[in-house]
Amino acid sequence: MGHAYSHNIELNNLSLQDTTETDSIPPIDTLPAMKPLYELDLPKFNNLRSLKTTSLNTANSLQQYIKGELPGVYVSESSGEPGTNIQMFVRGISKPILSNRDIYNSQPLVVLDGVPLIGEHPFAFDIQNYDVERIGTENNLLANFDIDNIESIRVLKDLSTLATYGPLASNGVIEITSRKAPTDGDKRITVNSYIGMSQKPTVTTINGAYENAFRRQFYDLYTTNGKFNIDDVYPIYLSDSLNNDYYGPSNWSDSYYQNGLNHGVNANIAGGQPRATFQFSLGNVKTSGVADDTKFDKYNARFFLNLRPFKWLNFETLFNASRINRDRNRNLRNRFAMMGYLPDLGAPLAPNKDVYDTYLKEFDKSFDDNFNNILEGFFRFQFNAGPVKFRTKFAVDYNEGYRDLFYPSTILENSNFASNYYGYNQRIMVDNQLVYDIKNGANYFYFEAGNSLMWDTYKYNYSYAYKGVNDFIKLNLLESDPNNGNYLNPIPFPRQLVYKFLDRTKHNMVNFYGKASYTYNESYTAALTLRYDASSNAQPTSRWFFSPVLALGWNAKNDFLKDNDAVSLFNIRANVGRIGHYNLYDNYSQGPSYTAQVGYTGNAIVPGYNGIAVLVRPYDVGWIGYKLPWSYSDNANLGFDLGFEERNIQVSFDAYVRDTKDQLIMLPGKKDFGYEYQYEAGMDVRNMGIDLSASGNVVQNDKITWNTGLVLGVNTNKLLALPNGLDEVEVNDRLLKVGERIDAFWLYENNGMYKTDQEVPEVNGQKLTYNGIILKAGDPIWRDSNADNQITKEDKVIQGNILPKLSGSWNNMVTYKNFDLNLNFYFNLGRKIVNQEMANRFNFIENENASSINSIKEITYWEKRGDYDKYPLYNPWSSVTPFQTNQNLFLEDGSFLKLRTATIGYNFKDIIGNKLGKNGDFYVYLSANNLFTVSKYSGRDPELVNYLGYDQGYSLPIPRTFALGFKLKL
Amino acid sequence: MKRLLIILIVLSQVFVSCKKMLDVNSTRLVSEENMWISMEDSRGALMGVYGLTKSALNDNNAHWIYGDVRSGQFSVPIRQDLKAVAKHDLNASFGVMNDLKSWRRWYAVINSANIFLERIHEVKEKDERYTNNNMVVDIAQARFLRAFAYFYMVRIWGDVPLIVSSKEGSFTDQPREDQSKVLAFVEQELIKAAQDLPFLYSSNDEQQQGNYYNESSSRWTGSLARKTTAYAILAHVAAWQSNYPDAAAYAKFVIDNAQKGGLGILSTGNMTDPNGFFYDKNNNQLLGFAHVYNHVEGSFTGHIEELTLAAPVVNKSIPDMYIPKEKILEIFNEPTDERFSADTLGNPVTEVYFRNFNGQYPIFSKVKCIMGGVTDPSFRFYSSATIITRLEDMYLLRAEALAVIGEQNGAIDLLNTIRERRGLNNYSAARNGELIEAIFQERNRELMGEGHRWYDLVRQYKIINDNSDLSKLIRDNGQYWPISTEVLTQNKLLTQNEYWK
């Protein structure tokens, strides 16, 4: 291993006066000494954005803290609902994201103080009818730490740093490291707190009259008597203009949107001597959403102990426990999707506040207890025997989620609903490392051998029931007393309407690795890592996977610039290597198998026939054959770090190519053999890109410093190969074509509207058709890109991309005396959005009262969003579905720039002097987040886009927040 | 040396435990090596073929969209997909139409039956409890279900690939086979199956002795294919090919052996009772796929009720489809019909077939099994079975066959048996028009909402063969459905039906 290069948000003492306790006294944690010398030069890049500055944001989760801050990490915050899951992608995606399940497969590993965290498993989607959200808490489990306890967050992207984690790290690693305790015999107490608010957004509401006028345009154009045909029905709620519920004042937003209160408090006590240190902290963060009465509340307790009873023994232990509660949104779509039941959608929620309040009052009789308990911890022993060190670690990460839910009958056509969810994810790990290093003059050798064993278990119990006897018994679906004869039978709900699920899946891994590195004269380094990994989710015939990594480094500063004072830093580094990707699902390991699954659309879970369990091939999931190899990435990374004393300029640049090969992909199945899908190995995807961070002082004098910094991640992907030599394949309405991006849209191209039937082109007496239907006046002019005189999906064109080509942030900090001012801009450039919400609005003929999960009207249906004038008035009754989503009519530029955070702070150090002790410190700040967005996008916030690049309009807005806080140190 | 040995032993232990650690037996599925061992496996696999058939029929309510909606008899207020189907605008891609154009679920039935037929001998070899008789009956059912799937597909798509082995792993593409060859295979398979199938299960039938899979007869009533079932489908296969002599003969077998098969003609009350014929499983379901409420098999979708019921029967403002008042009066044009008749003032005499007759949307409520057969409108959860055929269908099919081949008297007798049971007077040409028309009208009234109407119309207009739109459509092979593009792209040997190109 050459050089543990990484970009990091580091705690530092730039201007926010945080002392790094490790500076003066050698740490008792000797681990840094176990690293190759070359690593000691780890540059503190982008240190403008210190964790301290980051912590001024009223955020609550890892993803929010690092958004835009780490070059190469793209965070997609697709909902502003506090505490929900947020996706992260390190250096792009290596496989297409076609469903919610694929997101789980693409997330980086998060390591908290050496414990690789386990997340949720997507297998629960198997029992769900709709891919809206997973059952369970859906809480953001990466809210499990308190930012004030953290010393650094860094991303590991290139193989020389990832290799020690093995296949777990194939999507990158985010390492979170806690603060070290002091060893100088002092006690340190820190208290950090803030209080703030989320600001209610201003929206334009509309009512039935508006919607009616909108629809009338189409009736006026395409009908003579207000009916397109004899069976045509105009929705009742729009028919009666005297109906005050729909035609009256549209003031629902007063009840839906509100200002929210946020606060956070964290106290930490730490102390120690060179032979023993401890740390204990407690924290609580409360975040309120601005819509739908959503709230998020987390508690965190952390205990850390480090003992060095003998010179040769070092013992460390950590416990980090969190509890997170979330009050979830009241979206109808989420509720119906979870219940699997679509009630009559003929009458949407009325825009009138009084009517809406009546509904909310009934809703308030429901019960939704949604929380997670998270615990991670480890014991680590290190034995030192001269140049040989042996380290062994036992680590556990456990998280459990509960959701007890009840909806009263008054909000669902007189039928109530209850569900209980309990699930846990558990990772147990034993990790051993043996290290030997020796320095001989200019030569430095370093050897490390490691082995780890890992046991992962994912489990959930879920039951739900409809139509309980009354609305008062809200819990305990099943008899829980094992001594009762009725044990596990339903009590207040009819037995025939109770559904019970138990599911569990395991994944074990065994890893071995060895690495050797040689450094000459603290300038030239070469390192080789060899790994041998096995996963229980790999097929028995290819269970083990071998992967090498070679890294080279040159520290030019140490080499020939030693005496050059102008250059503070100059490194060049390169590495190439391979890393294996493990499978998330255990069914891949089995090859062809049998399941108890004969469900159908809208009734996905049918495990039997005539009350007897069935065993059939997994026709809905897809065919899985034998001889599936390990998938792997071949990476190459080249980078340099350059620093100048002058103006404290630091630049770090990395260019990479990552070819991910032999990946399993869900292909369309052989329909003639009953399979919806089939899984084949052989998809190769290339990711290329550049990560850049640069910072320097624009103004620098005795009084004032203005430091500016830029973080950039450029990424592009390309499909290199598909299984079986295929050139292109269509999956879930996306076209994957070799040579094109894997996150591209595939859309018809609009060129206006046919005004008359005569305008429709005719070739040899045959009018242009759309899927066999002759186009007429009022239909869209779709480009016949293959010129065969018919519009079919062959005419759809690959265009645009979901992930931004460039994302990052621009940060500024100005310090004047004891004041500091921070401005943080976040941007995404080169991405597109399909505005599905507008497509659905215009496609009202098909959507009105359709029993479809995507035609559910939330209360926010009565909010004016988007630009109605952008779209032509096609004939919405036409069989060609003129307002279908997959056309570039709804494709828009999704680039944006946001002023994400602005803070101003004052340090009272000079005023209070030594009154708070020699380490005393008192800092007060004011922060504002999400202040403005610059974007051409005509919809709402361009961040509120799902994994398909669609803005469906269902997610809650990301609020603007303000906070006043202090950081006190004693 | 000794030390080396110890190290080797320790090392080998490490690797042994590694291997153990890495062989995780999934609790979520049954691997190939644990399948086809015991009679629980054969039972699960056979029930799987039934379950897949049921899901092919019920997916997006396909059975009724193919059979009832396409006939155009129902009016569709809102759903664009149903509107398109009702006016033969099948190239449209609204809502569920793409799923309806795919035969994937039917080939899952065929694939699972093929696997069953190829692998069942392994169970016989490994499990002593699995008797030869049990295997023969199982094989006959698998054959029956595979043949039924082919017949169902031929009626919808015409020519389809004839795949009779599982070809797992290779999945060799096959072109569409001429439908007459497919139907010849179907007939041959059904005859073979019919020979081995019992009249009833766990009822000491000669051909199925003892308790089938150790379950008593109540478990199996109406849920498995019986000898009479095979003959009933044979009758339909023959009629579909206009082979009316054979159709008459096969239907006769069913009628003659009705008692042995536990079959009888339903009373109107039983037929329309929420707790009656359509509820649960019973032997009168000659071929039916039950959603047994007490087995927690009820569901929101996969029932005719989802399409037809609305207020006041259930909480739903507008039905997906309904029959307008005038049309009801045209179809039920005779007094004393227990299913529906109107008095001289135009008011309904009974409400068993239609509720809310004088409202904007008369609700077709012949089938209305809500939850456990209750009338509570608040929860649209249904438990009715999907019925493919019943004894009345056989009476009327044989009547149709006899009428075509000129045995008028026999046909009238059969027709009158049904008419009498529904409170109607005997057939008279003066009142009821031509015999063949009267038979088809009776089929419409009796089997309405059971997925028959469209196929009846096709047979009827094949016989009439005039200048009507429907006769033309049939001559142009427009009676078939287009094949979905996702099916066409996965097998390049397939071609789209000419009419829909």
Side-chain angles (χ1 to χ4, degrees), chain B residues 36-312:
Chain B
W36 305 112
I37 291 171
S38 71
M39 61 190 285
E40 283 70 31
D41 299 338
S42 70
R43 188 184 66 179
L46 184 64
M47 292 302 126
V49 188
Y50 279 102
L52 289 166
T53 311
K54 177 171 142 181
S55 74
L57 291 163
N58 289 342
D59 187 49
N60 293 310
N61 302 317
H63 179 63
W64 299 278
I65 299 181
Y66 294 139
D68 288 304
V69 177
R70 201 173 171 204
S71 72
Q73 184 153 271
F74 286 86
S75 294
V76 182
I78 290 162
R79 279 183 61 176
Q80 296 291 307
D81 44 5
L82 301 187
K83 280 186 190 190
V85 174
K87 56 180 194 204
H88 304 302
D89 184 10
L90 301 185
N91 270 332
S93 47
F94 295 118
V96 304
M97 292 189 73
N98 285 334
D99 289 342
L100 293 172
K101 291 177 214 169
S102 168
W103 59 42
R104 203 266 301 171
R105 286 178 187 274
W106 286 107
Y107 275 104
V109 175
I110 287 162
N111 187 258
S112 65
N114 284 336
I115 296 173
F116 185 90
L117 294 169
E118 287 163 18
R119 307 286 299 268
I120 188 61
H121 68 92
E122 296 175 29
V123 176
K124 182 80 189 67
E125 285 150 20
K126 286 176 189 150
D127 190 343
E128 285 177 7
R129 299 172 301 159
Y130 193 56
T131 62
N132 199 50
N133 175 254
N134 197 336
M135 184 172 77
V136 168
V137 172
D138 286 358
I139 288 176
Q141 291 173 73
R143 283 208 146 117
F144 168 83
L145 289 167
R146 182 173 67 174
F148 172 67
Y150 273 118
F151 172 56
Y152 206 97
M153 284 200 292
V154 164
R155 290 196 301 182
I156 295 166
W157 290 284
D159 301 347
V160 294
L162 182 59
I163 299 169
V164 294
S165 67
S166 66
K167 294 184 186 145
E168 295 213 292
S170 68
F171 299 131
T172 327
D173 287 343
Q174 273 180 242
R176 297 171 70 189
E177 183 63 79
D178 188 84
Q179 53 173 301
S180 61
K181 285 195 183 144
V182 178
L183 290 180
F185 172 79
V186 168
E187 191 171 359
Q188 168 202 327
E189 288 285 296
L190 286 174
I191 289 170
K192 264 191 241 171
Q195 285 165 1
D196 292 334
L197 288 170
F199 280 102
L200 289 171
Y201 289 81
S202 301
S203 303
N204 286 324
D205 187 282
E206 280 174 28
Q207 287 178 289
Q208 194 281 307
Q209 295 179 349
N211 273 354
Y212 185 57
Y213 280 113
N214 300 323
E215 298 272 1
S216 68
S217 61
S218 63
R219 162 70 68 178
W220 305 115
T221 49
S223 48
L224 303 180
R226 291 163 274 166
K227 200 182 280 293
T228 42
T229 315
Y231 278 102
I233 301 304
L234 273 167
H236 268 292
V237 173
W240 184 250
Q241 298 178 95
S242 308
N243 177 359
Y244 279 110
D246 280 3
Y250 290 135
K252 184 168 187 299
F253 181 92
V254 181
I255 295 166
D256 291 350
N257 291 285
Q259 212 170 4
K260 270 190 179 172
L263 301 162
I265 294 179
L266 307 170
S267 69
T268 310
N270 184 20
M271 177 170 71
T272 55
D273 189 331
N275 250 313
F277 168 71
F278 286 97
Y279 182 68
D280 210 310
K281 52 185 176 181
N282 55 67
N283 276 334
N284 279 321
Q285 299 172 353
L286 182 49
L287 179 56
F289 296 86
H291 288 261
V292 181
Y293 186 63
N294 285 319
H295 291 162
V296 201
E297 288 173 357
S299 57
F300 303 118
T301 179
H303 307 266
I304 179 74
E305 291 98 317
E306 193 193 3
L307 298 173
T308 52
L309 296 192

Side-chain angles (χ1 to χ4, degrees), chain A residues 673-938:
Chain A
F673 294 86
Y675 289 98
E676 182 67 22
Y677 301 106
Q678 60 186 349
Y679 289 83
E680 299 272 354
M683 177 176 60
D684 299 350
V685 173
R686 170 169 296 169
N687 273 270
M688 288 201 301
I690 290 168
D691 299 335
L692 173 81
S693 57
S695 72
N697 294 339
V698 181
V699 177
Q700 173 178 350
N701 58 43
D702 296 347
K703 281 186 182 158
I704 195 161
T705 316
W706 172 18
N707 187 299
T708 192
L710 193 66
V711 173
L712 281 183
V714 180
N715 171 269
T716 178
N717 64 59
K718 187 163 98 173
L719 184 63
L720 297 180
L722 285 167
N724 310 330
L726 287 172
D727 180 52
E728 59 177 43
V729 68
E730 188 197 337
V731 205
N732 290 2
D733 243 1
R734 295 258 295 276
L735 187 72
L736 300 174
K737 190 174 165 63
V738 172
E740 300 284 349
R741 287 184 68 113
I742 56 170
D743 62 337
F745 296 97
W746 187 43
L747 308 169
Y748 291 110
E749 293 199 299
N750 289 68
N751 293 319
M753 178 171 90
Y754 294 113
K755 303 252 165 23
T756 61
D757 289 353
Q758 286 74 38
E759 281 182 29
V760 179
E762 195 172 314
V763 175
N764 298 330
Q766 177 63 51
K767 286 271 191 189
L768 182 68
T769 59
Y770 167 80
N771 286 334
I773 304 161
I774 293 170
L775 289 157
K776 295 201 179 69
D779 285 341
I781 304 176
W782 280 315
R783 192 162 78 88
D784 183 12
S785 59
N786 62 359
D788 61 353
N789 200 40
Q790 45 186 355
I791 306 293
T792 57
K793 23 183 201 190
E794 271 89 65
D795 295 303
K796 288 206 251 176
V797 177
I798 292 179
Q799 52 192 307
N801 46 281
I802 300 167
L803 295 184
K805 289 177 177 158
L806 193 154
S807 68
S809 62
W810 178 43
N811 308 301
N812 291 283
M813 183 202 279
V814 179
T815 52
Y816 171 72
K817 292 186 176 167
N818 287 331
F819 283 100
D820 61 77
L821 170 76
N822 287 282
L823 291 176
N824 162 233
F825 296 89
Y826 173 60
F827 52 83
N828 279 192
L829 299 174
R831 79 195 259 268
K832 302 270 181 172
I833 297 172
V834 166
N835 192 340
Q836 191 182 34
E837 187 177 22
M838 286 312 269
N840 283 346
R841 252 185 201 273
F842 275 78
N843 199 9
F844 61 91
I845 289 295
E846 197 183 349
N847 283 326
E848 192 61 53
N849 212 3
S851 282
S852 147
I853 200 74
N854 287 328
S855 57
I856 292 171
K857 300 182 187 74
E858 302 291 346
I859 187 70
T860 52
Y861 186 73
W862 304 112
E863 185 176 318
K864 187 175 180 294
R865 295 169 176 174
D867 178 3
Y868 285 74
D869 299 330
K870 277 172 66 98
Y871 310 98
L873 301 181
Y874 295 141
N875 175 2
W877 289 271
S878 170
S879 308
V880 308
T881 353
F883 290 113
Q884 54 187 284
T885 309
N886 52 4
Q887 49 184 329
N888 70 357
L889 179 65
F890 297 105
L891 186 71
E892 290 188 52
D893 189 348
S895 303
F896 66 87
L897 170 81
K898 280 190 173 187
L899 175 54
R900 192 158 173 255
T901 315
T903 68
I904 182 158
Y906 184 77
N907 195 316
F908 287 86
K909 195 165 191 168
D910 291 347
I911 299 171
I912 53 176
N914 265 345
K915 281 177 206 156
L916 295 175
K918 70 177 161 84
N919 296 310
D921 197 4
F922 186 55
Y923 176 75
V924 176
Y925 64 93
L926 195 62
S927 91
N929 298 297
N930 200 21
L931 286 173
F932 67 79
T933 305
V934 182
S935 173
K936 278 195 264 179
Y937 181 56
S938 69

Side-chain angles (χ1 to χ4, degrees), chain A residues 308-322:
Chain A
R308 200 176 179 189
F310 309 103
K311 227 182 177 159
W312 52 270
L313 177 66
N314 187 6
F315 170 74
E316 269 185 307
T317 184
L318 167 90
F319 287 95
N320 184 45
S322 310

Side-chain angles (χ1 to χ4, degrees), chain B residues 343-472:
Chain B
D343 61 20
T344 44
L345 294 171
N347 288 322
V349 178
T350 70
E351 287 206 310
V352 292
Y353 254 47
F354 296 98
R355 287 280 301 278
N356 197 32
F357 176 71
N358 282 318
Q360 188 183 3
Y361 303 111
I363 300 303
F364 174 64
S365 59
K366 168 188 171 188
V367 187
K368 45 185 172 295
C369 305
I370 301 167
M371 293 184 277
V374 297
T375 50
D376 176 2
S378 67
F379 196 50
R380 301 202 308 278
F381 186 90
Y382 307 117
S383 51
S384 63
T386 306
I387 303 298
I388 305 301
T389 179
R390 53 186 166 100
L391 190 57
E392 292 80 353
D393 175 31
M394 285 299 110
Y395 270 78
L396 293 170
L397 192 67
R398 179 165 156 81
E400 175 191 332
L402 293 181
V404 174
I405 56 182
E407 292 184 32
Q408 305 281 320
N409 290 342
I412 292 170
D413 281 352
L414 289 160
L415 175 62
N416 282 341
T417 311
I418 303 298
R419 288 176 61 89
E420 199 181 309
R421 205 58 203 251
R422 299 294 167 243
L424 295 172
N425 295 325
N426 279 350
Y427 163 78
S428 92
R431 191 175 52 235
N432 301 106
E434 261 190 64
L435 177 59
I436 191 80
E437 262 174 46
I439 292 169
F440 275 110
Q441 182 167 20
E442 199 52 51
R443 282 186 69 82
N444 189 15
R445 293 191 286 224
E446 177 67 17
L447 302 171
M448 186 174 271
E450 294 180 46
H452 282 281
R453 182 63 182 158
W454 169 248
Y455 310 109
D456 287 357
L457 279 176
V458 171
R459 288 203 310 279
Q460 189 179 359
Y461 278 81
K462 270 189 193 165
I463 297 167
I464 296 170
N465 199 12
D466 58 2
N467 264 332
S468 62
D469 289 348
L470 198 48
S471 287
K472 275 190 230 157

